[in-house]
Amino acid sequence: MKLFIPRETDPDETRAAVLPQHVRQLKDWGWEIQIESGLGERVPVPDSAYEEAGAALISHRREGYASADVIFRVRVSDKEEVALMKPGALHISFFDPFRQPDLVDSFAQARVTAISMELIPRITVAQKMDALSSQASLAGYVAVILAAERINRVFPMMMTPAGTLAAVRVLVIGAGVAGLQAIATARRLGARVEAYDVRPEVEEQVKSLGARFLKIDLGQVGSTPDGYAKQLTEEQLQRQREAMKRFCSHADVLITTAQVFGRRAPLIVTEEMLLAMRPGSIVVDLAVESGGNVEGIRPGSEVEKNGVLLLGLRNLPGRVPYHASQVYGSNLSAMLGHLYDREKGHLRIDLQDQITGRCVVTHGGQVVNPLLKEG
Ligand code: NAD
């Protein structure tokens, strides 16, 4: 079986889909691995390290696409690239299929099986493949490091002969995977941390990291069977904003991570709340690429309002590309391991399987994913 890993073409992308350690593992399964020259350039990992691990280097991606049984990528290939793939090939990457119906059709027409890493179910047996979690965790870490680097204060309390420096106050809104890692990182740096999430079940996790959990009575809020938050009503969101106003005004660093699966991220922090923050404060919105939690923050933007620095940076895991590629490559390898029958030496795409059936988007010339078929 042949696996091809092209280099990423998006100028914002620094990650590689695999590191040499993954090449070694897949070689052990008897796979032939081809990588496009420059795959790890921005990680950085030189071509020679992939070659030493057993990958063959190719300079023309066209050649790799045409012969591969499986293609690994961080970001999904485009239509022109899909047209180069052979029918029956398997493509595994982040995809965002709901926002790219034309690309979904291209995969179906080319009879390429496409797997969307975002659609891997958040269940215990699929944890090894859960790229949303592996990347979100790094994003939470990076958000705090960025804030610590940009703020005009030190994070920990310091008692000095010249007086006591108060610990920075960090407020984290959304205590899922990214939020919990942000809390842990801020705590390690010595900050005073408060956190809020609509899912009451995260209170214990927040407290176990040494942070204070804020409570807001919003009435009935629920979670989906997958553990995701349900969308709030406009009235509940309004109540949340009212209550958050005071907490935001005390924060030196505000990190927002609130998302609702398959929907625009909720707008939680309004301009009025930002105006109540002290000059010099930092706001990092991790939900910026799915609509944003903070009014006025745009993807890729860095703006100052009333002395408050608003960061809406894209691809935060890409700021730690070595570790991001390490865990993402392990997620991809685990996914392939789930589909590959090592004894018979072929791939099994079983749409009845609880993991495969949820993340395969197209197969056998059809759009097969239940979420996409529902529209
Ligand atoms: P996410 O990125 O969809 O959302 C981030 C957080 O924002 C969530 O905790 C959510 O509750 C919160 N949120 C949504 N609306 C909000 C609002 N208005 N105000 C404040 N917070 C709001 O979620 P995620 O981090 O990818 O994962 C969420 C949960 O999924 C996890 O915490 C976990 O329970 C579950 N999960 C389970 C597994 C597993 O293997 N069982 C793996 C990963 C995640």
Side-chain angles (χ1 to χ4, degrees):
M1 300 288 277
K2 245 187 202 175
L3 170 67
F4 174 52
I5 307 117
R7 58 188 290 171
E8 296 298 313
T9 46
D10 188 306
D12 279 345
E13 195 49 79
T14 53
R15 295 168 290 181
V18 298
L19 293 182
Q21 67 192 70
H22 307 110
V23 171
R24 242 172 251 121
Q25 180 197 351
L26 295 163
K27 287 288 286 184
D28 282 349
W29 297 358
W31 283 63
E32 194 182 321
I33 322 266
Q34 292 190 321
I35 65 152
E36 185 180 8
S37 176
L39 169 66
E41 198 170 39
R42 298 183 70 192
V43 176
V45 174
D47 285 348
S48 58
Y50 286 102
E51 281 186 304
E52 276 161 31
L57 213 65
I58 55 169
S59 341
H60 299 290
R61 56 204 289 125
R62 174 176 282 275
E63 194 189 312
Y65 273 126
S67 63
D69 299 299
V70 177
I71 294 142
F72 276 179
R73 279 198 71 160
V74 178
R75 301 195 184 213
V76 66
S77 298
D78 64 24
K79 276 187 193 178
E80 287 69 37
E81 290 164 329
V82 174
L84 300 172
M85 297 172 198
K86 63 179 191 188
L90 168 67
H91 182 283
I92 317 183
S93 68
F94 281 117
F95 194 151
D96 202 2
F98 300 103
R99 285 200 267 184
Q100 311 206 71
D102 289 353
L103 191 55
V104 171
D105 288 343
S106 303
F107 273 103
Q109 276 162 23
R111 303 186 75 79
V112 173
T113 301
I115 287 186
S116 165
M117 291 302 277
E118 298 94 330
L119 295 181
I120 292 194
R122 317 298 290 274
I123 51 177
T124 309
V125 287
Q127 264 175 353
K128 282 187 298 197
M129 306 152 200
D130 185 350
L132 280 183
S133 288
S134 72
Q135 303 301 298
S137 179
L138 295 173
Y141 164 85
V142 170
V144 173
I145 299 300
L146 276 177
E149 203 257 326
R150 302 299 295 274
I151 199 165
N152 56 3
R153 294 155 190 261
V154 294
F155 261 46
M157 185 188 79
M158 282 192 198
M159 306 238 267
T160 81
T164 300
L165 309 177
V168 147
R169 291 182 71 155
V170 175
L171 171 59
V172 176
I173 303 180
V177 180
L180 290 171
Q181 190 55 249
I183 295 168
T185 306
R187 287 289 303 142
R188 280 184 211 121
L189 289 177
R192 264 178 78 180
V193 185
E194 293 179 327
Y196 173 72
D197 196 295
V198 280
R199 291 179 303 123
E201 61 267 31
V202 300
E203 178 174 355
E204 280 315 307
Q205 296 168 26
V206 167
K207 284 183 175 163
S208 72
L209 293 171
R212 181 172 158 235
F213 187 72
L214 305 175
K215 289 189 182 172
I216 303 173
D217 182 11
L218 297 177
Q220 185 68 25
V221 287
S223 307
T224 67
D226 286 342
Y228 287 116
K230 282 197 180 148
Q231 196 176 25
L232 298 183
T233 62
E234 192 42 49
E235 193 197 328
Q236 286 175 314
L237 260 176
Q238 196 47 44
R239 264 157 73 186
Q240 176 179 3
R241 290 185 199 119
E242 281 301 318
M244 298 267 37
K245 213 185 280 177
R246 189 167 53 88
F247 299 122
C248 286
S249 70
H250 295 155
D252 302 302
V253 173
L254 171 60
I255 294 174
T256 66
T257 76
Q259 311 232 30
V260 177
F261 183 76
R263 306 202 181 252
R264 187 205 181 282
L267 180 67
I268 298 170
V269 182
T270 60
E271 196 159 328
E272 187 195 349
M273 290 152 83
L274 293 173
L275 285 173
M277 292 180 74
R278 271 199 296 263
S281 306
I282 313 274
V283 181
V284 189
D285 186 352
L286 265 71
V288 72
E289 289 180 88
S290 48
N293 296 140
V294 183
E295 195 167 4
I297 299 195
R298 301 272 165 269
S301 73
E302 182 175 330
V303 287
E304 207 180 289
K305 258 192 196 164
N306 201 33
V308 177
L309 181 62
L310 310 179
L311 300 175
L313 306 173
R314 286 197 178 101
N315 192 13
L316 291 187
R319 289 180 179 246
V320 285
Y322 186 85
H323 277 151
S325 305
Q326 181 183 327
V327 286
Y328 183 67
S330 297
N331 297 143
L332 289 175
S333 304
M335 189 65 226
L336 190 59
H338 183 68
L339 301 173
Y340 182 54
D341 186 328
R342 284 171 75 173
E343 277 177 16
K344 296 196 180 123
H346 65 69
L347 293 168
R348 271 175 291 113
I349 306 294
D350 173 7
L351 296 177
Q352 302 308 315
D353 176 80
Q354 59 172 337
I355 301 173
T356 314
R358 301 270 294 276
C359 60
V360 171
V361 175
T362 57
H363 182 58
Q366 308 282 331
V367 178
V368 293
N369 192 277
L371 292 174
L372 281 142
K373 282 202 292 189
E374 280 162 18

